Amino acid sequence: MTVEDLSYKDKKVISIGIVSELTGLSVRQIRYYEERKLIYPQRSSRGTRKYSFTDVERLMDIANKREDGVQTAEILKDMRKKEQSLKNDQQLRKKMLEGQLNAHFKYRNR
Amino acid sequence: MTVEDLSYKDKKVISIGIVSELTGLSVRQIRYYEERKLIYPQRSSRGTRKYSFTDVERLMDIANKREDGVQTAEILKDMRKKEQSLKNDQQLRKKMLEGQLNAHFKYRNR
DNA sequence: CGTGTAAGGAATTCTGACACG
DNA sequence: CGTGTAAGGAATTCTGACACG
């Protein structure tokens, strides 16, 4: 996946009606999940909401959880937890990589 | 790039207003290029045009050529030529690959 | 040929609110 | 709490057409 492809997935260009079609959620529901901080659309110059494919996936995830009876507050907590553990993970990987590099180069370049 | 990422790039979800912002072309121009067969948006259930990121790129390409004074008929020809040569290319690659596989397996599996 | 624009109508989106539960 | 809905207004989109060049 190139940098450009990433930007496609995260580019906020989809209007709420299309997101509704894509996710099966009502426009009302999508707006409500924003109110509950579960999703962050971008606003166009005239105030209409714009979503990315990533947002659409997130909304489908939310829809599944709601179907299981999970409340939005719970979903929010879970998502924050998941993001945090992802961050920790990345930090750990970084540290390990640095360690390896250090070990490798410790007695070189001097 | 996974299959999913490909579908993002080709998924027709962007309305003409956003495409206009993204490309710098007027809505009128975008519709006209469709009339000239340079671009094929999808239609939503209520008849509004929907574009993909691929379409957006194609439109930027068209915009550049138009700036150089190339007429739409010319652009259409060039694009068809390019698509054809791409197809030929892929066929050639396929043939060569088949040839290699044949050479490799000719005296095996029997 | 390529693009702007006014025209009229239909559909979208927005917000704040009331309803139900 | 989560979602539907009616309300009023603003902005979008569509098509066919006239204009200019």
Side-chain angles (χ1 to χ4, degrees):
Chain A
M1 213 188 335
T2 68
V3 176
E4 267 181 335
D5 296 318
L6 261 180
S7 76
Y8 290 136
K9 197 172 171 185
D10 285 328
K11 206 144 194 185
K12 308 236 176 187
V13 295
I14 315 177
S15 60
I16 196 166
I18 308 280
V19 172
S20 172
E21 282 179 27
L22 255 33
T23 60
L25 292 167
S26 71
V27 166
R28 178 68 166 102
Q29 286 175 309
I30 298 170
R31 292 201 192 109
Y32 180 66
Y33 298 153
E34 176 182 358
E35 194 183 319
R36 302 312 311 274
K37 312 279 186 192
L38 292 178
I39 196 90
Y40 294 91
Q42 214 175 268
R43 293 299 180 114
S44 79
S45 42
R46 307 160 228 84
T48 69
R49 295 168 174 82
K50 299 299 161 198
Y51 302 83
S52 66
F53 284 111
T54 303
D55 292 332
V56 169
E57 286 182 0
R58 196 182 176 91
L59 281 167
M60 295 179 112
D61 207 53
I62 294 169
N64 286 332
K65 289 187 181 155
R66 283 293 302 129
E67 272 176 32
D68 294 344
V70 186
Q71 296 197 341
T72 56
E74 200 62 35
I75 297 175
L76 181 59
K77 267 191 230 164
D78 286 359
M79 285 185 159
R80 289 202 168 141
K81 211 183 296 176
K82 214 166 281 173
E83 267 158 34
Q84 192 50 53
S85 91
L86 186 67
K87 240 178 233 172
N88 290 342
D89 230 56
Q90 287 170 344
Q91 274 178 9
L92 186 60
R93 271 176 228 279
K94 201 178 152 203
K95 287 258 184 282
M96 288 178 65
L97 186 60
E98 285 169 359
Q100 284 190 329
L101 289 175
N102 275 340
H104 196 69
F105 287 110
K106 194 158 186 183
Y107 303 108
R108 299 187 49 182
N109 287 339
R110 60 170 182 180
Chain B
M1 211 185 339
T2 69
V3 175
E4 268 182 334
D5 296 318
L6 261 180
S7 76
Y8 290 137
K9 195 171 172 185
D10 286 328
K11 205 145 196 185
K12 310 236 178 189
V13 295
I14 316 179
S15 61
I16 196 167
I18 308 281
V19 172
S20 173
E21 283 179 27
L22 254 33
T23 59
L25 292 167
S26 72
V27 166
R28 178 68 166 102
Q29 287 175 310
I30 298 170
R31 291 202 192 108
Y32 180 67
Y33 298 152
E34 176 182 357
E35 195 183 317
R36 302 312 311 272
K37 314 278 188 193
L38 293 177
I39 196 89
Y40 294 90
Q42 213 175 270
R43 294 299 180 113
S44 79
S45 42
R46 305 159 227 87
T48 68
R49 294 167 175 84
K50 299 299 160 197
Y51 302 83
S52 67
F53 284 111
T54 302
D55 292 332
V56 170
E57 286 182 359
R58 196 181 177 91
L59 281 168
M60 295 178 112
D61 209 51
I62 294 168
N64 287 331
K65 289 186 180 154
R66 283 292 303 127
E67 272 176 31
D68 295 344
V70 186
Q71 295 197 341
T72 56
E74 199 62 34
I75 297 174
L76 182 60
K77 267 192 231 161
D78 287 0
M79 285 184 160
R80 287 201 168 142
K81 211 182 297 172
K82 211 165 282 172
E83 268 158 34
Q84 194 48 54
S85 92
L86 186 67
K87 242 177 231 170
N88 290 342
D89 229 57
Q90 287 170 346
Q91 274 179 8
L92 185 60
R93 270 177 229 279
K94 201 178 152 204
K95 286 257 182 284
M96 289 178 65
L97 187 61
E98 285 170 359
Q100 285 191 328
L101 290 174
N102 274 340
H104 195 70
F105 286 110
K106 195 157 185 184
Y107 303 109
R108 302 186 47 182
N109 287 338
R110 60 170 179 181

